[in-house]
Amino acid sequence: AQSVSQHNHHVILSEAASLELGCNYSYGGTVNLFWYVQYPGQHLQLLLKYFSGDPLVKGIKGFEAEFIKSKFSFNLRKPSVQWSDTAEYFCAMIVRHSGGYQKVTFGTGTKLQVIP
Amino acid sequence: EPEVTQTPSHQVTQMGQEVILRCVPISNHLYFYWYRQILGQKVEFLVSFYNNEISEKSEIFDDQFSVERPDGSNFTLKIRSTKLEDSAMYFCATKLLADNEQFFGPGTRLTVL
């Protein structure tokens, strides 16, 4: 069965520090990968996605992620975090198969707290 | 920019009562989903709906749950007899085509007392 795991449950950083959040998935076939962000009191928003092509994808707000197929990983990075990045980050996966009957499988989430 | 909307934003109900959560998808979207997030836990898939029928459902989606598109616009999730453990944030998501990303609504916080 497919699954997504996120290594860090809670990360605390100072402003301007660099960020890397780990994400690994388990599935033998073709996958689409996503990072979602959930700011306090708000709904899930898409940060970035990987469908195919360049494995280094850039998203909104200066975030990027790199798909490394050999490691089944899709880590999220940002060179310099801001206080406004405080949120919960979810890695997610869609398994591609015919019929469009797809569901998103989410990781457990990483709470990021940025200290001013 | 079009977005998915959900009502109500917060629903409080007594155990055993029926609740209906409503979602208005983005216009022309064809695939519909419900997810839930119990406080402190990850977002879990409940059900997907396409062409007026359930296409996939999780083990969470038991006989107490049902979905429908009664008027071709709203997409509803009904919980027939709520339990304490149904307390969660329920997210609706929709997408246009098979390969598109899903767009999530803001969620409905369900509290079962």
Side-chain angles (χ1 to χ4, degrees):
Chain A
Q2 58 258 30
S3 65
V4 176
S5 59
Q6 293 180 240
H7 316 302
N8 313 101
H9 296 295
H10 197 180
V11 172
I12 302 174
L13 293 173
S14 298
E15 272 193 316
S18 65
L19 170 73
E20 180 158 4
L21 301 182
C23 171
N24 286 90
Y25 68 92
S26 174
Y27 185 70
T30 303
V31 297
N32 299 145
L33 296 161
F34 305 80
W35 276 97
Y36 286 89
V37 61
Q38 189 175 28
Y39 296 103
Q42 296 187 29
H43 59 96
L44 289 165
Q45 297 175 42
L46 183 67
L47 265 183
L48 47 78
K49 61 186 177 184
Y50 172 77
F51 272 40
S52 63
D54 188 345
L56 183 63
V57 291
K58 294 191 184 301
I60 60 172
K61 306 186 183 191
F63 287 90
E64 64 178 33
E66 184 174 12
F67 171 55
I68 302 179
K69 191 174 181 181
S70 60
K71 294 184 179 180
F72 297 89
S73 70
F74 190 57
N75 292 353
L76 180 71
R77 300 194 291 250
K78 186 171 184 179
S80 175
V81 295
Q82 302 170 309
W83 177 78
S84 57
D85 294 324
T86 295
E88 189 156 15
Y89 293 80
F90 294 91
C91 183
M93 168 177 78
I94 287 179
V95 169
R96 298 182 68 182
H97 53 81
S98 62
Y101 303 154
Q102 301 162 348
K103 67 178 188 283
V104 182
T105 299
F106 285 89
T108 50
T110 297
K111 284 189 168 65
L112 172 65
Q113 185 179 354
V114 180
I115 301 170
Chain B
E1 186 177 327
E3 54 184 27
V4 178
T5 58
Q6 290 184 241
T7 55
S9 57
H10 192 183
Q11 172 93 47
V12 181
T13 189
Q14 296 287 329
M15 191 170 58
Q17 295 296 303
E18 175 184 285
V19 294
I20 297 177
L21 310 183
R22 291 184 169 79
C23 169
V24 179
I26 294 173
S27 179
N28 297 327
H29 277 200
L30 301 175
Y31 297 83
F32 312 102
Y33 303 80
W34 282 102
Y35 297 82
R36 78 171 186 193
Q37 184 182 24
I38 294 172
L39 188 65
Q41 300 184 24
K42 67 177 178 178
V43 179
E44 302 171 289
F45 167 78
L46 289 178
V47 66
S48 59
F49 190 85
Y50 170 71
N51 201 26
N52 284 319
E53 61 182 21
I54 290 173
S55 46
E56 189 175 359
K57 59 183 181 180
S58 72
E59 60 277 4
I60 303 168
F61 195 88
D62 61 21
D63 292 343
Q64 293 299 313
F65 291 88
S66 62
V67 290
E68 63 175 359
R69 275 193 92 198
D71 54 9
S73 61
N74 289 321
F75 177 53
T76 62
L77 174 69
K78 183 194 291 187
I79 309 175
R80 231 178 308 278
S81 177
T82 50
K83 303 188 284 285
L84 294 176
E85 53 265 37
D86 293 327
S87 294
M89 183 74 96
Y90 289 81
F91 294 101
C92 171
T94 75
K95 66 177 183 177
L96 177 59
L97 296 171
D99 262 2
N100 286 168
E101 71 180 81
Q102 296 181 21
F103 291 84
F104 284 82
T108 292
R109 183 171 296 286
L110 176 65
T111 302
V112 182
L113 303 176

